[in-house]
Amino acid sequence: MSNVLSNAWNWSVEKSPLMNISRWILHQGYPNSQARGLIESAQLPPELADLIDSTVKRTKLWRSERAEIARELITHTQDALESGRTPERIIESFGNPKKVAKLLRRSAKRKRPLYWRTLRNMRRAITAVLALLFVVYTIQLVRYISGKPNIKTNYAQIINSYNEAYSEEEKAWPIYNEANIAWNALSTPVQDQQREEVRIFNDNRANMEDDDAELMSTGFHLIPRVPTDHPQYDQTAQLVRDFSDELNQLRAACHRPIIGIDLGFDLEITPPDGNPHDIRMVSPDSNPDLQPTLVELLLPHLGSMRRFANLLYFDALVAARDGDHDRVYENLSAMLAMSRQQSFDGTIIADLVNIAIAHLTENAMQQILNEYPDTLSRSQLVALSHELVLVRPALHMSFEGERMMFDDVLQRTYTDDGKGNGRLTRHGSQILIGLNSDHILQNELSMNPAQLITGPVALSLAPDRKSQYETYHTMMDLVDAVQEQGPQYLPKLKAHERQVERAFHKGPQVLDNLIVGPAELLMPALSRAVDRVFWSHMTHDATKTMLTIEIYARDHDVYPETLSSLTPNYLPELPEDSFNPGHTLKYRITDSGYILYSVGSDGDDDSGKTHDDKRRFPEFEDRFPGKFDAQQKLILDETGRPVHAEPVGSDGDWILIEIDRAPIEQEPDQSPALESSN
């Protein structure tokens, strides 16, 4: 039994893979035991045995190689002793053991198999590459940490400086703000009461287990489209009537040329114990280094404008039902004025709010003409048509604020070499991380160790400042051009968007978040925004045509048979169908009124048949998919217009205006035409 245990122990010591790996790593201990055994069995003088043992150990070779070297050294030593040389002479002629071991090691390695030499060369190459990467990483780390942005321009002050050319009497925001305070104070108790009533009503309906029962919303939250049969309609209408004094001031403020709010990055209540609805903006610091990115600029006026536009719409309906015709016109006129009011921030959201308010006003006009056709007089219709023309320039995306937001982020994230170029900075990485995570408040930005470690990699892979600037502004210039050229050129914009998108993500997907740049993060959905502009142009032209038809009907007691009857006395030119360039919008008299419509995405006239899919706007891309050459350039015909592929839109027309009421049957007379200021 003892022999078995002894053999097992010896095997574990001599043959154990784990022990052998440890010995190979340490190059000492038992791997030299075989050579030492040979030395001991040779019975050499102690000083010679020690010399050979230390030399073999210094070679740090494999065990078998050490044994082979030991045999050779033993043989040479024995031959020297037999020839009569003394141990001292042998040691003296042996030389430096360290150098001898090095020579023996080199010779032994040359005899090793090819696979080992290949692996050795691979290890050396990998080590060299890692060393080079470490050097490069260290250099980039120093550049990354030492890089500082040069913030030169205070864009927030530039935006606010546009207000300085106007007097306080020309600014609408002070009145908007006061109206906001008064409306919240007046409406809050009514909201609370209506919520409780609706909660009880909905609970009772739910207890009836009526599957067809629809839950009711408060009348307040249905403004402006509160049905007259809603249980809370009278209370909601009275709430707006009680707000009449403030609405008078609000309507006057809408006709002021600018909103006139000085924008900033924070709000305060003045005085500290004042009304919580009293919005006071903290002015931006004169030093741009001490303020956040322009992306964080607050735009509280936009929400107020949407709220007041809905109030004016509802008040127009209430006034029509009350028979107050002048108030109906004043509300519609104020809404049109508000939609073109300058805010000077030039952001997409501000432009979209202007477009939304204009579209809301167009809907209000159509509803009132449908439900209360005699409310607006001829002179009021003429005035509204002229005011509607003034709205057209506001139905445009300037993108000036978006450009400034991008340039501000660029100057805060990159160094500036004075020639339009620069590299990403550590602080810039923090800003981009915040933008990418929708958590961009500067005082909350922080960089964890992992982000700091990956910083040099981001610096090496991230695009430089100049390329980012050119990518962004080239796209914006193209957007401006497409807005001027028309919806047929949207494929050109979409193709460029796809090209830029591919350029953004040309590397491995795992690196997308690491090498993201300002252009990628701040590039808005441009084609969708421009698509919305073209759609708003078409609805605007349709609404203007609707007002002209109404004026014609007042003059002649009959609707015009065709739109061409409106020119030149009522309209200088007929409205173009944006889905069918070179052709006008379609017009058809119905049994109860008339419709104005576009041929829609499929491009053919279906006599006003409504499109089946009402869940989305018509897609200009369906109508104008475009054709491109091998270089992805939009193909133009001999007239310079894009050559279009076959449309892929669904069958049906897009109804823009639908007047549904009793037809006019009187004979036409010879009344004055519309006084045109177009």
Side-chain angles (χ1 to χ4, degrees), residues 3 17 135 153 172 183 217 298 313 316 335 339 385 467 573 596 599 607:
N3 289 336
V135 171
T153 308
W183 175 251
S217 298
L298 301 178
Y313 185 169
M335 291 173 70
S339 70
S385 67
S467 66
E573 58 184 5
L596 283 167
V599 296
S607 300

Side-chain angles (χ1 to χ4, degrees), residues 302 306 339 345-360 394-399 402 524-525 528-533 536:
L302 299 181
R306 290 293 299 266
S339 70
D345 54 276
T347 58
I348 282 184
I349 187 173
D351 290 334
L352 288 174
V353 167
N354 284 349
I355 291 174
I357 293 175
H359 189 57
L360 189 70
L395 306 179
H396 181 85
M397 296 284 182
S398 71
F399 296 107
E402 304 296 325
R528 292 182 62 186
V530 176
D531 189 280
R532 191 71 179 93
V533 168
S536 69

